[in-house]
Amino acid sequence: MTLRGGLIIFYFNFIVFHISAQENGGLHSVLNSKWRLGFTPSAIVNTYSGIQLSAEYAISDRFSMVTEAAYIFYDLNQENNLQGFRLRPQCRFKILKSESAETSVSFLYNYRYTSHDVTAELSRANGAYIETVKGKRATYYRGVGLMLQQDFLLDKTGINIGIGAGPGTVQLKDSNPETENLQNDRYRFWFRRNDARNFIVPLVILHFNIYFY
């Protein structure tokens, strides 16, 4: 999946929301009935930092579908020209519910794609000279997990705090084969699946979201 594909999925969710708003008497009535729209400040301090938005649709009083989408523009390793996106669809079930608070559990899928520049200095002609080789490295992360969440309901505004975990995998792909042996410090301590391009990396989520309903 590419950045374009992720954005298509993201915009599709908001087109569905817009159509629903028109059919149900406007934005205010739709938000009061089935939708919650928000943003996730904790995504800014994520290992892969980005602007993350959320949309939740209530199928019933206890069950809802949630989609979170982020545009990623920075990571803690300070990779050159990094960009990408994150998609996190969820099936959410409310265990406890009152007028001011909700406790829920979500089953989720986490997909992240990033791409950044890589540079390798290679010895040529038996060490006669050094050539600088450049390329792009794509990183694909896929994981599933469970997230326990607590909501605090205010006047037309909600605060969601959650913690989640699960198994995940990372796959690296380089546009230039000559940069494939360049070490990736981020994953060097994780278990390798088949080769140096695939890793087992657990999914860990610390979540803080503010939404409107």
Side-chain angles (χ1 to χ4, degrees):
M1 184 181 291
T2 62
L3 177 60
R4 180 181 298 177
L7 292 175
I8 289 174
I9 294 174
F10 176 72
Y11 286 126
F12 174 76
N13 281 276
F14 281 89
I15 291 173
V16 172
F17 168 76
H18 178 70
I19 294 174
S20 180
Q22 290 182 326
E23 293 178 348
N24 290 277
L27 176 64
H28 182 71
S29 62
V30 171
L31 289 179
N32 281 338
S33 60
K34 293 180 179 292
W35 287 89
R36 292 175 175 178
L37 300 181
F39 63 97
T40 307
S42 59
I44 298 295
V45 294
N46 193 294
T47 305
Y48 287 90
S49 302
I51 303 299
Q52 186 161 309
L53 303 178
S54 65
E56 179 176 358
Y57 181 77
I59 296 177
S60 67
D61 190 48
R62 294 278 182 176
F63 184 72
S64 62
M65 301 296 293
V66 184
T67 298
E68 290 192 86
Y71 170 69
I72 298 171
F73 53 81
Y74 180 79
D75 83 315
L76 294 182
N77 278 10
Q78 299 181 346
E79 305 288 7
N80 292 327
N81 296 324
L82 182 135
Q83 65 173 344
F85 66 91
R86 176 171 47 246
L87 294 176
R88 188 180 293 159
Q90 307 171 41
C91 300
R92 188 178 183 196
F93 179 75
K94 296 179 177 64
I95 303 171
L96 300 173
K97 183 177 180 180
S98 68
E99 292 185 359
S100 60
E102 297 174 352
T103 302
S104 60
V105 62
S106 294
F107 176 75
L108 61 91
Y109 175 74
N110 193 93
Y111 180 88
R112 184 184 68 232
Y113 165 83
T114 57
S115 176
H116 66 275
D117 295 338
V118 289
T119 302
E121 294 185 347
L122 304 178
S123 176
R124 303 294 196 193
N126 295 321
Y129 67 96
I130 300 296
E131 181 182 359
T132 300
V133 177
K134 298 181 179 180
K136 285 280 188 181
R137 173 169 292 174
T139 303
Y140 302 85
Y141 183 86
R142 301 171 179 88
V144 295
L146 292 175
M147 183 159 60
L148 182 64
Q149 301 175 76
Q150 181 66 46
D151 288 66
F152 301 95
L153 305 178
L154 309 174
D155 184 21
K156 305 300 180 184
T157 305
I159 297 175
N160 174 276
I161 300 173
I163 181 170
T169 62
V170 168
Q171 182 181 23
L172 306 178
K173 291 185 178 181
D174 283 55
S175 61
N176 188 339
E178 291 191 299
T179 64
E180 289 183 353
N181 292 326
L182 191 65
Q183 175 127 357
N184 190 304
D185 292 334
R186 182 191 296 275
Y187 303 113
R188 62 179 174 177
F189 297 117
W190 295 107
F191 294 107
R192 296 180 179 178
R193 295 178 62 195
N194 302 315
D195 51 40
R197 317 297 294 165
N198 294 272
F199 304 85
I200 298 175
V201 180
L203 173 67
V204 178
I205 299 172
L206 299 175
H207 191 258
F208 176 72
N209 179 264
I210 300 172
Y211 57 85
F212 307 95
Y213 62 95

